[in-house]
Amino acid sequence: MTKTFNLTRREDGIAVLTMDVPGETMNTLRAEFGPEIRDVLNEIKSDSQIKGLVLVSGKKDSFVAGADISMLDACRTAKDAKTVSSEGHVVFNELEGLNIPVVAAIHGVCLGGGLELALACHQRVCSDSKKTLMGLPEVQLGLLPGGGGTQRLPRLVGVAKSLDLMLTGKQVRPKQALKMGLVDDMVPESILLETAVAMALKGKKSAKKQKPLMERVLEGTSVGRNIIFDQASKQVAKKTQGNYPAPAKIIHCVRQGMAKGITKGLAVEAQSFSELVVSSESAALRSLFFATTEMKKETGAGDVQPKDIKKAMVLGGGLMGGGIASVTSSKAKIPVRVKDINQKGLSNALSYAYKLLDKGVKRRHMTPAVRDNVMALMTTSTDFTGVKNTDIVVEAVFEDLALKHQMVKDIERECSESTIFASNTSSLPISQIAEAATRPENVIGLHYFSPVEKMPLVEVIAHAKTSPETIATTVAFARKQGKTPIVVQDGAGFYVNRILALYMNEAAALLLEGQSVEHLDKALVKFGFPVGPMTLLDEVGIDVGAKISPILEAELGERFKAPAAFDALMADDRKGRKNQKGFYLYNKGKKKKKQVDESVYQVLGLTPGANGSMDELAQRCVVQMLNEAVRCLEEKIIACPRDGDIGAIFGIGFPPFLGGPFRYIDTLGAGKLVSILNDYKAQFGDRFEPCQMLVDMAENKSRFFEQ
């Protein structure tokens, strides 16, 4: 059997332990490695010639990417999970307890269990490579660091900094790691091993940096630490709304360990870790992790392989066009030409991209030279010069069918026969746009969400004549831009806007029944959405909602009819944030808390105050979204429940801890959902009619996912 851990002895008395998991591109920690690493540690202990130990990775650009997540899915009970954590503690304690200097030489990703392994060493040195990243991202999977991270990290970098890392799951670069004391040195990769060896030969810890006075006062006393813990707990409660148990447990583990010592702390960590592994929230977040990993391997068109994209073009220099051009040059590193009818649009697109990159310079994530090189990939034009060999054109002009038809004709005339025409429409069916094409197989939808640089999802929309190669190439292009693409079939509203529309309409109906704007928003934030529906409508644009609704109603029927609220709001020129006039006030004052624009109630002819149960309000909005998501699956708009879950979470912020609409329906039970819908149908009418697929599932007691 090929070994994962290989020990080599150097003439200077330093032993180098190389971790290299056979057959994998990255190292991950697994429970079955326990016996092998214990054998190696016993071998080191019994050899008096070994004066020091250096840990390195045998992989090209990664140290250890973390623990193997599928190992946790194999845990059937909390007891199984506790065993995994406790056995990890035994091994790491043994490593830490070696009476020779132990140094971790870190290059590449060092995350989760990988960083916990490095923390159990006496010293750490990392490469200055941009590929080197350190962090404890377990919270993003609904977990906490279960290999001693909640105990060793606070002792190394302080309570406040360690909580910041563990509660956000953020990753730090080499310079930040050195500054915070996470590593003792940072050197070029070429001398990483030799530096680690020199540190092991020296054998003593580097001098501790003097911390600022305020930090010493807060961290150095139990009263001070309690202030930090209490503040962190308040922030966590506000941010999670009690929906995610992991952050509170992280704070508890650190608090216990700092108050009662590391042995007690590790015991609390193992117990808390085991409870989280079997929680529904972590199961949902892990399912998301596996789903997105699985999707990265798919082309979206079966076995068909994508063509290489060497040059792209964006039509329209507005907010969307500028964002699309920006991720094409900065993330995909593909040259992109922006075309607009006037110079103003072009300069807007350029300044938009420049501002985003310049943030990276200000935060010292990139040099001005790197920024300028990326900007050089973006060129502009008011005509079609130099676009003949463009591989893909993304159209981001106004939602006007005649204009989009003109764009299709222009591109077919000016570009090559194989150029893909991708439309970033949010409402017009792609088949209608393709009617103007002589090569409809090259026409596809590519629906981004605003703001483009932040929103992870993109919908790739195929119409009946789109070729598999066009689909595969567009999916690969979106992935290069850093997006998670889902392939959906053509139809009004596609998937995301379609399920969102009914949710928003129901929120508007509740508003007209006398619920206050603030109360409605709070109810849905408490349910788990990042923002409430009224805030979202202000952000997206009330005018956009008003424009999309009639299209959806015409194509999909009466249930999409928007409440009369839209007409009244539009008549009062309320568009939301874009014209500083919507449901909320947008004065430039210093007030942090957003305030409702009370005059909106007069516009709607309402007197708010019928504040109903938050659970009930959330339920009425959410069941509309769930029912429509199943209808999209029934109509084959989405290929599978997994894609529907990813689309809702990444596109509109459906609560990740519920796993997406389809996993949530499995949790509720189809029978229960049908019963809720029928109750509402009796009260409010046919818009709550459960779709046939749901009714069938309720009868058969079937599920979308295996248990």
Side-chain angles (χ1 to χ4, degrees), residues 136-137 139-140 143 145 153 159-170 228-229 231-233 235-236 239-240 245-252 254:
L136 294 172
V139 74
Q140 292 164 358
L143 298 168
L153 189 64
V159 172
K161 288 194 184 97
S162 69
L163 285 177
D164 182 41
L165 277 183
M166 291 187 280
L167 294 174
T168 60
K170 70 182 177 191
I228 297 173
F229 292 129
Q231 276 299 106
S233 297
Q235 284 171 347
V236 158
K239 200 165 182 194
T240 67
K249 283 192 188 291
I250 288 171
I251 296 168
H252 176 64
V254 178

PDB file of all heavy atoms in Angstrom, residues 136-137 139-140 143 145 153 159-170 228-229 231-233 235-236 239-240 245-252 254:
ATOM      1  N   LEU A 136      -9.780  29.027   8.626  1.00  0.00           N
ATOM      2  CA  LEU A 136     -10.604  27.962   9.221  1.00  0.00           C
ATOM      3  C   LEU A 136     -12.045  28.184   8.734  1.00  0.00           C
ATOM      4  O   LEU A 136     -12.842  28.844   9.401  1.00  0.00           O
ATOM      5  CB  LEU A 136     -10.529  28.019  10.755  1.00  0.00           C
ATOM      6  CG  LEU A 136      -9.159  27.695  11.374  1.00  0.00           C
ATOM      7  CD1 LEU A 136      -9.155  27.973  12.869  1.00  0.00           C
ATOM      8  CD2 LEU A 136      -8.755  26.228  11.119  1.00  0.00           C
ATOM      9  N   PRO A 137     -12.375  27.653   7.542  1.00  0.00           N
ATOM     10  CA  PRO A 137     -13.679  27.968   6.937  1.00  0.00           C
ATOM     11  C   PRO A 137     -14.834  27.056   7.364  1.00  0.00           C
ATOM     12  O   PRO A 137     -15.889  27.071   6.750  1.00  0.00           O
ATOM     13  CB  PRO A 137     -13.389  27.791   5.436  1.00  0.00           C
ATOM     14  CG  PRO A 137     -12.328  26.740   5.386  1.00  0.00           C
ATOM     15  CD  PRO A 137     -11.525  26.844   6.654  1.00  0.00           C
ATOM     16  N   VAL A 139     -17.117  27.121   9.497  1.00  0.00           N
ATOM     17  CA  VAL A 139     -18.419  27.748   9.780  1.00  0.00           C
ATOM     18  C   VAL A 139     -19.291  27.789   8.518  1.00  0.00           C
ATOM     19  O   VAL A 139     -20.515  27.727   8.586  1.00  0.00           O
ATOM     20  CB  VAL A 139     -18.223  29.169  10.372  1.00  0.00           C
ATOM     21  CG1 VAL A 139     -17.777  30.175   9.320  1.00  0.00           C
ATOM     22  CG2 VAL A 139     -19.484  29.644  11.069  1.00  0.00           C
ATOM     23  N   GLN A 140     -18.643  27.855   7.346  1.00  0.00           N
ATOM     24  CA  GLN A 140     -19.389  27.903   6.087  1.00  0.00           C
ATOM     25  C   GLN A 140     -20.086  26.578   5.774  1.00  0.00           C
ATOM     26  O   GLN A 140     -20.968  26.513   4.921  1.00  0.00           O
ATOM     27  CB  GLN A 140     -18.457  28.314   4.941  1.00  0.00           C
ATOM     28  CG  GLN A 140     -18.003  29.755   5.084  1.00  0.00           C
ATOM     29  CD  GLN A 140     -16.806  30.108   4.223  1.00  0.00           C
ATOM     30  OE1 GLN A 140     -16.255  29.274   3.506  1.00  0.00           O
ATOM     31  NE2 GLN A 140     -16.384  31.363   4.294  1.00  0.00           N
ATOM     32  N   LEU A 143     -20.198  24.070  10.622  1.00  0.00           N
ATOM     33  CA  LEU A 143     -19.365  23.321  11.588  1.00  0.00           C
ATOM     34  C   LEU A 143     -18.447  24.284  12.338  1.00  0.00           C
ATOM     35  O   LEU A 143     -18.450  25.486  12.091  1.00  0.00           O
ATOM     36  CB  LEU A 143     -18.521  22.283  10.837  1.00  0.00           C
ATOM     37  CG  LEU A 143     -19.302  21.202  10.076  1.00  0.00           C
ATOM     38  CD1 LEU A 143     -18.373  20.439   9.149  1.00  0.00           C
ATOM     39  CD2 LEU A 143     -19.998  20.254  11.037  1.00  0.00           C
ATOM     40  N   PRO A 145     -14.123  24.369  13.846  1.00  0.00           N
ATOM     41  CA  PRO A 145     -12.854  23.629  13.741  1.00  0.00           C
ATOM     42  C   PRO A 145     -12.814  22.539  14.818  1.00  0.00           C
ATOM     43  O   PRO A 145     -12.898  22.849  16.002  1.00  0.00           O
ATOM     44  CB  PRO A 145     -11.796  24.710  13.990  1.00  0.00           C
ATOM     45  CG  PRO A 145     -12.491  26.003  13.701  1.00  0.00           C
ATOM     46  CD  PRO A 145     -13.915  25.798  14.105  1.00  0.00           C
ATOM     47  N   LEU A 153      -5.712  28.464  18.122  1.00  0.00           N
ATOM     48  CA  LEU A 153      -5.682  29.745  17.410  1.00  0.00           C
ATOM     49  C   LEU A 153      -5.791  30.955  18.354  1.00  0.00           C
ATOM     50  O   LEU A 153      -4.988  31.883  18.251  1.00  0.00           O
ATOM     51  CB  LEU A 153      -6.775  29.791  16.330  1.00  0.00           C
ATOM     52  CG  LEU A 153      -6.709  30.995  15.381  1.00  0.00           C
ATOM     53  CD1 LEU A 153      -5.422  30.980  14.558  1.00  0.00           C
ATOM     54  CD2 LEU A 153      -7.911  31.041  14.449  1.00  0.00           C
ATOM     55  N   VAL A 159      -7.789  36.348  21.159  1.00  0.00           N
ATOM     56  CA  VAL A 159      -9.200  35.962  21.087  1.00  0.00           C
ATOM     57  C   VAL A 159      -9.937  36.680  19.959  1.00  0.00           C
ATOM     58  O   VAL A 159     -10.631  36.065  19.150  1.00  0.00           O
ATOM     59  CB  VAL A 159      -9.904  36.231  22.443  1.00  0.00           C
ATOM     60  CG1 VAL A 159     -11.407  36.012  22.337  1.00  0.00           C
ATOM     61  CG2 VAL A 159      -9.328  35.321  23.528  1.00  0.00           C
ATOM     62  N   ALA A 160      -9.786  38.013  19.892  1.00  0.00           N
ATOM     63  CA  ALA A 160     -10.556  38.801  18.912  1.00  0.00           C
ATOM     64  C   ALA A 160     -10.228  38.388  17.482  1.00  0.00           C
ATOM     65  O   ALA A 160     -11.127  38.142  16.670  1.00  0.00           O
ATOM     66  CB  ALA A 160     -10.297  40.288  19.119  1.00  0.00           C
ATOM     67  N   LYS A 161      -8.932  38.279  17.167  1.00  0.00           N
ATOM     68  CA  LYS A 161      -8.535  37.925  15.791  1.00  0.00           C
ATOM     69  C   LYS A 161      -8.966  36.500  15.446  1.00  0.00           C
ATOM     70  O   LYS A 161      -9.377  36.206  14.329  1.00  0.00           O
ATOM     71  CB  LYS A 161      -7.020  38.066  15.620  1.00  0.00           C
ATOM     72  CG  LYS A 161      -6.545  39.508  15.589  1.00  0.00           C
ATOM     73  CD  LYS A 161      -5.115  39.596  15.084  1.00  0.00           C
ATOM     74  CE  LYS A 161      -4.589  41.014  15.143  1.00  0.00           C
ATOM     75  NZ  LYS A 161      -3.809  41.289  16.334  1.00  0.00           N
ATOM     76  N   SER A 162      -8.865  35.593  16.432  1.00  0.00           N
ATOM     77  CA  SER A 162      -9.234  34.199  16.152  1.00  0.00           C
ATOM     78  C   SER A 162     -10.743  34.075  15.922  1.00  0.00           C
ATOM     79  O   SER A 162     -11.186  33.350  15.042  1.00  0.00           O
ATOM     80  CB  SER A 162      -8.785  33.268  17.286  1.00  0.00           C
ATOM     81  OG  SER A 162      -9.544  33.502  18.448  1.00  0.00           O
ATOM     82  N   LEU A 163     -11.535  34.822  16.705  1.00  0.00           N
ATOM     83  CA  LEU A 163     -12.993  34.793  16.504  1.00  0.00           C
ATOM     84  C   LEU A 163     -13.347  35.350  15.127  1.00  0.00           C
ATOM     85  O   LEU A 163     -14.207  34.812  14.425  1.00  0.00           O
ATOM     86  CB  LEU A 163     -13.720  35.586  17.591  1.00  0.00           C
ATOM     87  CG  LEU A 163     -13.817  34.915  18.971  1.00  0.00           C
ATOM     88  CD1 LEU A 163     -14.498  35.848  19.956  1.00  0.00           C
ATOM     89  CD2 LEU A 163     -14.562  33.578  18.916  1.00  0.00           C
ATOM     90  N   ASP A 164     -12.659  36.417  14.739  1.00  0.00           N
ATOM     91  CA  ASP A 164     -12.912  37.009  13.423  1.00  0.00           C
ATOM     92  C   ASP A 164     -12.674  35.976  12.314  1.00  0.00           C
ATOM     93  O   ASP A 164     -13.479  35.828  11.392  1.00  0.00           O
ATOM     94  CB  ASP A 164     -12.002  38.228  13.221  1.00  0.00           C
ATOM     95  CG  ASP A 164     -12.258  38.912  11.883  1.00  0.00           C
ATOM     96  OD1 ASP A 164     -13.441  39.037  11.500  1.00  0.00           O
ATOM     97  OD2 ASP A 164     -11.292  39.305  11.207  1.00  0.00           O
ATOM     98  N   LEU A 165     -11.583  35.227  12.431  1.00  0.00           N
ATOM     99  CA  LEU A 165     -11.272  34.207  11.419  1.00  0.00           C
ATOM    100  C   LEU A 165     -12.295  33.072  11.431  1.00  0.00           C
ATOM    101  O   LEU A 165     -12.773  32.640  10.386  1.00  0.00           O
ATOM    102  CB  LEU A 165      -9.877  33.608  11.671  1.00  0.00           C
ATOM    103  CG  LEU A 165      -8.664  34.360  11.151  1.00  0.00           C
ATOM    104  CD1 LEU A 165      -7.398  33.566  11.425  1.00  0.00           C
ATOM    105  CD2 LEU A 165      -8.776  34.613   9.659  1.00  0.00           C
ATOM    106  N   MET A 166     -12.615  32.581  12.617  1.00  0.00           N
ATOM    107  CA  MET A 166     -13.485  31.397  12.710  1.00  0.00           C
ATOM    108  C   MET A 166     -14.954  31.702  12.441  1.00  0.00           C
ATOM    109  O   MET A 166     -15.670  30.878  11.888  1.00  0.00           O
ATOM    110  CB  MET A 166     -13.328  30.729  14.078  1.00  0.00           C
ATOM    111  CG  MET A 166     -11.969  30.079  14.270  1.00  0.00           C
ATOM    112  SD  MET A 166     -11.854  29.120  15.791  1.00  0.00           S
ATOM    113  CE  MET A 166     -11.565  30.395  16.995  1.00  0.00           C
ATOM    114  N   LEU A 167     -15.408  32.905  12.838  1.00  0.00           N
ATOM    115  CA  LEU A 167     -16.829  33.231  12.664  1.00  0.00           C
ATOM    116  C   LEU A 167     -17.167  33.651  11.234  1.00  0.00           C
ATOM    117  O   LEU A 167     -18.312  33.563  10.812  1.00  0.00           O
ATOM    118  CB  LEU A 167     -17.255  34.352  13.635  1.00  0.00           C
ATOM    119  CG  LEU A 167     -17.223  33.982  15.115  1.00  0.00           C
ATOM    120  CD1 LEU A 167     -17.512  35.204  15.983  1.00  0.00           C
ATOM    121  CD2 LEU A 167     -18.219  32.864  15.437  1.00  0.00           C
ATOM    122  N   THR A 168     -16.157  34.094  10.485  1.00  0.00           N
ATOM    123  CA  THR A 168     -16.407  34.490   9.094  1.00  0.00           C
ATOM    124  C   THR A 168     -15.946  33.405   8.119  1.00  0.00           C
ATOM    125  O   THR A 168     -16.448  33.324   7.006  1.00  0.00           O
ATOM    126  CB  THR A 168     -15.647  35.782   8.730  1.00  0.00           C
ATOM    127  OG1 THR A 168     -14.237  35.533   8.914  1.00  0.00           O
ATOM    128  CG2 THR A 168     -16.074  36.945   9.595  1.00  0.00           C
ATOM    129  N   GLY A 169     -14.978  32.589   8.563  1.00  0.00           N
ATOM    130  CA  GLY A 169     -14.415  31.580   7.660  1.00  0.00           C
ATOM    131  C   GLY A 169     -13.495  32.187   6.617  1.00  0.00           C
ATOM    132  O   GLY A 169     -13.121  31.553   5.644  1.00  0.00           O
ATOM    133  N   LYS A 170     -13.115  33.485   6.819  1.00  0.00           N
ATOM    134  CA  LYS A 170     -12.310  34.137   5.785  1.00  0.00           C
ATOM    135  C   LYS A 170     -10.889  33.589   5.735  1.00  0.00           C
ATOM    136  O   LYS A 170     -10.396  33.021   6.713  1.00  0.00           O
ATOM    137  CB  LYS A 170     -12.322  35.642   5.966  1.00  0.00           C
ATOM    138  CG  LYS A 170     -11.583  36.178   7.162  1.00  0.00           C
ATOM    139  CD  LYS A 170     -11.743  37.697   7.204  1.00  0.00           C
ATOM    140  CE  LYS A 170     -11.092  38.295   8.423  1.00  0.00           C
ATOM    141  NZ  LYS A 170     -11.467  39.711   8.585  1.00  0.00           N
ATOM    142  N   ILE A 228     -15.237  40.951  24.907  1.00  0.00           N
ATOM    143  CA  ILE A 228     -15.081  40.480  23.517  1.00  0.00           C
ATOM    144  C   ILE A 228     -16.126  39.409  23.199  1.00  0.00           C
ATOM    145  O   ILE A 228     -16.804  39.459  22.168  1.00  0.00           O
ATOM    146  CB  ILE A 228     -13.654  39.915  23.268  1.00  0.00           C
ATOM    147  CG1 ILE A 228     -12.599  41.015  23.448  1.00  0.00           C
ATOM    148  CG2 ILE A 228     -13.547  39.306  21.873  1.00  0.00           C
ATOM    149  CD1 ILE A 228     -11.158  40.526  23.394  1.00  0.00           C
ATOM    150  N   PHE A 229     -16.270  38.427  24.107  1.00  0.00           N
ATOM    151  CA  PHE A 229     -17.230  37.332  23.871  1.00  0.00           C
ATOM    152  C   PHE A 229     -18.669  37.851  23.788  1.00  0.00           C
ATOM    153  O   PHE A 229     -19.439  37.429  22.928  1.00  0.00           O
ATOM    154  CB  PHE A 229     -17.127  36.270  24.975  1.00  0.00           C
ATOM    155  CG  PHE A 229     -15.840  35.490  24.955  1.00  0.00           C
ATOM    156  CD1 PHE A 229     -15.064  35.339  26.113  1.00  0.00           C
ATOM    157  CD2 PHE A 229     -15.392  34.905  23.783  1.00  0.00           C
ATOM    158  CE1 PHE A 229     -13.873  34.627  26.089  1.00  0.00           C
ATOM    159  CE2 PHE A 229     -14.201  34.181  23.748  1.00  0.00           C
ATOM    160  CZ  PHE A 229     -13.440  34.047  24.908  1.00  0.00           C
ATOM    161  N   GLN A 231     -19.703  40.887  23.000  1.00  0.00           N
ATOM    162  CA  GLN A 231     -19.886  41.654  21.766  1.00  0.00           C
ATOM    163  C   GLN A 231     -20.052  40.728  20.564  1.00  0.00           C
ATOM    164  O   GLN A 231     -20.932  40.911  19.729  1.00  0.00           O
ATOM    165  CB  GLN A 231     -18.674  42.574  21.522  1.00  0.00           C
ATOM    166  CG  GLN A 231     -18.740  43.886  22.254  1.00  0.00           C
ATOM    167  CD  GLN A 231     -19.939  44.713  21.830  1.00  0.00           C
ATOM    168  OE1 GLN A 231     -20.906  44.817  22.571  1.00  0.00           O
ATOM    169  NE2 GLN A 231     -19.928  45.264  20.632  1.00  0.00           N
ATOM    170  N   ALA A 232     -19.171  39.716  20.508  1.00  0.00           N
ATOM    171  CA  ALA A 232     -19.230  38.750  19.399  1.00  0.00           C
ATOM    172  C   ALA A 232     -20.575  38.028  19.394  1.00  0.00           C
ATOM    173  O   ALA A 232     -21.186  37.828  18.339  1.00  0.00           O
ATOM    174  CB  ALA A 232     -18.087  37.747  19.514  1.00  0.00           C
ATOM    175  N   SER A 233     -21.060  37.654  20.580  1.00  0.00           N
ATOM    176  CA  SER A 233     -22.343  36.941  20.677  1.00  0.00           C
ATOM    177  C   SER A 233     -23.493  37.808  20.175  1.00  0.00           C
ATOM    178  O   SER A 233     -24.384  37.319  19.474  1.00  0.00           O
ATOM    179  CB  SER A 233     -22.625  36.523  22.128  1.00  0.00           C
ATOM    180  OG  SER A 233     -21.628  35.623  22.558  1.00  0.00           O
ATOM    181  N   GLN A 235     -23.317  40.289  17.969  1.00  0.00           N
ATOM    182  CA  GLN A 235     -23.205  40.425  16.506  1.00  0.00           C
ATOM    183  C   GLN A 235     -23.679  39.157  15.801  1.00  0.00           C
ATOM    184  O   GLN A 235     -24.372  39.213  14.787  1.00  0.00           O
ATOM    185  CB  GLN A 235     -21.758  40.732  16.112  1.00  0.00           C
ATOM    186  CG  GLN A 235     -21.379  42.177  16.406  1.00  0.00           C
ATOM    187  CD  GLN A 235     -19.894  42.438  16.226  1.00  0.00           C
ATOM    188  OE1 GLN A 235     -19.099  41.518  16.111  1.00  0.00           O
ATOM    189  NE2 GLN A 235     -19.512  43.696  16.216  1.00  0.00           N
ATOM    190  N   VAL A 236     -23.295  38.011  16.359  1.00  0.00           N
ATOM    191  CA  VAL A 236     -23.682  36.717  15.778  1.00  0.00           C
ATOM    192  C   VAL A 236     -25.203  36.553  15.804  1.00  0.00           C
ATOM    193  O   VAL A 236     -25.824  36.143  14.819  1.00  0.00           O
ATOM    194  CB  VAL A 236     -22.984  35.551  16.524  1.00  0.00           C
ATOM    195  CG1 VAL A 236     -23.722  34.239  16.355  1.00  0.00           C
ATOM    196  CG2 VAL A 236     -21.540  35.417  16.030  1.00  0.00           C
ATOM    197  N   LYS A 239     -26.728  38.693  13.146  1.00  0.00           N
ATOM    198  CA  LYS A 239     -26.434  38.253  11.782  1.00  0.00           C
ATOM    199  C   LYS A 239     -27.121  36.931  11.435  1.00  0.00           C
ATOM    200  O   LYS A 239     -27.611  36.749  10.333  1.00  0.00           O
ATOM    201  CB  LYS A 239     -24.917  38.129  11.602  1.00  0.00           C
ATOM    202  CG  LYS A 239     -24.522  38.160  10.154  1.00  0.00           C
ATOM    203  CD  LYS A 239     -23.044  38.409   9.969  1.00  0.00           C
ATOM    204  CE  LYS A 239     -22.737  38.483   8.477  1.00  0.00           C
ATOM    205  NZ  LYS A 239     -21.357  38.408   8.147  1.00  0.00           N
ATOM    206  N   THR A 240     -27.155  36.004  12.360  1.00  0.00           N
ATOM    207  CA  THR A 240     -27.687  34.667  12.045  1.00  0.00           C
ATOM    208  C   THR A 240     -29.176  34.537  12.326  1.00  0.00           C
ATOM    209  O   THR A 240     -29.796  33.580  11.890  1.00  0.00           O
ATOM    210  CB  THR A 240     -26.965  33.577  12.860  1.00  0.00           C
ATOM    211  OG1 THR A 240     -27.299  33.743  14.252  1.00  0.00           O
ATOM    212  CG2 THR A 240     -25.464  33.626  12.675  1.00  0.00           C
ATOM    213  N   PRO A 245     -26.464  27.453  14.145  1.00  0.00           N
ATOM    214  CA  PRO A 245     -25.936  27.182  15.490  1.00  0.00           C
ATOM    215  C   PRO A 245     -24.410  27.256  15.621  1.00  0.00           C
ATOM    216  O   PRO A 245     -23.898  27.462  16.713  1.00  0.00           O
ATOM    217  CB  PRO A 245     -26.423  25.761  15.788  1.00  0.00           C
ATOM    218  CG  PRO A 245     -26.712  25.144  14.464  1.00  0.00           C
ATOM    219  CD  PRO A 245     -27.040  26.251  13.517  1.00  0.00           C
ATOM    220  N   ALA A 246     -23.673  27.105  14.513  1.00  0.00           N
ATOM    221  CA  ALA A 246     -22.204  26.992  14.606  1.00  0.00           C
ATOM    222  C   ALA A 246     -21.516  28.220  15.236  1.00  0.00           C
ATOM    223  O   ALA A 246     -20.675  28.050  16.125  1.00  0.00           O
ATOM    224  CB  ALA A 246     -21.600  26.677  13.242  1.00  0.00           C
ATOM    225  N   PRO A 247     -21.826  29.452  14.811  1.00  0.00           N
ATOM    226  CA  PRO A 247     -21.088  30.598  15.383  1.00  0.00           C
ATOM    227  C   PRO A 247     -21.175  30.687  16.913  1.00  0.00           C
ATOM    228  O   PRO A 247     -20.165  30.941  17.577  1.00  0.00           O
ATOM    229  CB  PRO A 247     -21.744  31.810  14.711  1.00  0.00           C
ATOM    230  CG  PRO A 247     -22.287  31.270  13.420  1.00  0.00           C
ATOM    231  CD  PRO A 247     -22.754  29.890  13.741  1.00  0.00           C
ATOM    232  N   ALA A 248     -22.371  30.460  17.468  1.00  0.00           N
ATOM    233  CA  ALA A 248     -22.519  30.535  18.934  1.00  0.00           C
ATOM    234  C   ALA A 248     -21.678  29.456  19.616  1.00  0.00           C
ATOM    235  O   ALA A 248     -21.084  29.686  20.677  1.00  0.00           O
ATOM    236  CB  ALA A 248     -23.987  30.386  19.319  1.00  0.00           C
ATOM    237  N   LYS A 249     -21.611  28.288  18.993  1.00  0.00           N
ATOM    238  CA  LYS A 249     -20.821  27.188  19.576  1.00  0.00           C
ATOM    239  C   LYS A 249     -19.315  27.483  19.493  1.00  0.00           C
ATOM    240  O   LYS A 249     -18.550  27.105  20.377  1.00  0.00           O
ATOM    241  CB  LYS A 249     -21.152  25.861  18.878  1.00  0.00           C
ATOM    242  CG  LYS A 249     -22.490  25.271  19.332  1.00  0.00           C
ATOM    243  CD  LYS A 249     -22.631  23.829  18.851  1.00  0.00           C
ATOM    244  CE  LYS A 249     -24.012  23.254  19.101  1.00  0.00           C
ATOM    245  NZ  LYS A 249     -24.319  23.045  20.518  1.00  0.00           N
ATOM    246  N   ILE A 250     -18.891  28.167  18.425  1.00  0.00           N
ATOM    247  CA  ILE A 250     -17.475  28.553  18.305  1.00  0.00           C
ATOM    248  C   ILE A 250     -17.095  29.470  19.476  1.00  0.00           C
ATOM    249  O   ILE A 250     -16.083  29.264  20.148  1.00  0.00           O
ATOM    250  CB  ILE A 250     -17.200  29.253  16.945  1.00  0.00           C
ATOM    251  CG1 ILE A 250     -17.256  28.224  15.805  1.00  0.00           C
ATOM    252  CG2 ILE A 250     -15.845  29.971  16.955  1.00  0.00           C
ATOM    253  CD1 ILE A 250     -17.223  28.820  14.406  1.00  0.00           C
ATOM    254  N   ILE A 251     -17.941  30.475  19.720  1.00  0.00           N
ATOM    255  CA  ILE A 251     -17.689  31.411  20.832  1.00  0.00           C
ATOM    256  C   ILE A 251     -17.643  30.648  22.162  1.00  0.00           C
ATOM    257  O   ILE A 251     -16.759  30.871  22.991  1.00  0.00           O
ATOM    258  CB  ILE A 251     -18.770  32.518  20.870  1.00  0.00           C
ATOM    259  CG1 ILE A 251     -18.682  33.375  19.600  1.00  0.00           C
ATOM    260  CG2 ILE A 251     -18.613  33.405  22.114  1.00  0.00           C
ATOM    261  CD1 ILE A 251     -19.855  34.317  19.383  1.00  0.00           C
ATOM    262  N   HIS A 252     -18.575  29.707  22.337  1.00  0.00           N
ATOM    263  CA  HIS A 252     -18.647  28.910  23.571  1.00  0.00           C
ATOM    264  C   HIS A 252     -17.357  28.108  23.781  1.00  0.00           C
ATOM    265  O   HIS A 252     -16.803  28.081  24.896  1.00  0.00           O
ATOM    266  CB  HIS A 252     -19.857  27.971  23.492  1.00  0.00           C
ATOM    267  CG  HIS A 252     -19.987  27.044  24.663  1.00  0.00           C
ATOM    268  ND1 HIS A 252     -20.206  27.493  25.953  1.00  0.00           N
ATOM    269  CD2 HIS A 252     -19.915  25.676  24.745  1.00  0.00           C
ATOM    270  CE1 HIS A 252     -20.265  26.449  26.774  1.00  0.00           C
ATOM    271  NE2 HIS A 252     -20.093  25.345  26.066  1.00  0.00           N
ATOM    272  N   VAL A 254     -14.295  28.677  22.564  1.00  0.00           N
ATOM    273  CA  VAL A 254     -13.158  29.557  22.879  1.00  0.00           C
ATOM    274  C   VAL A 254     -13.270  30.047  24.321  1.00  0.00           C
ATOM    275  O   VAL A 254     -12.301  30.042  25.087  1.00  0.00           O
ATOM    276  CB  VAL A 254     -13.083  30.756  21.894  1.00  0.00           C
ATOM    277  CG1 VAL A 254     -11.927  31.681  22.263  1.00  0.00           C
ATOM    278  CG2 VAL A 254     -12.927  30.259  20.457  1.00  0.00           C
TER     279      VAL A 254
END
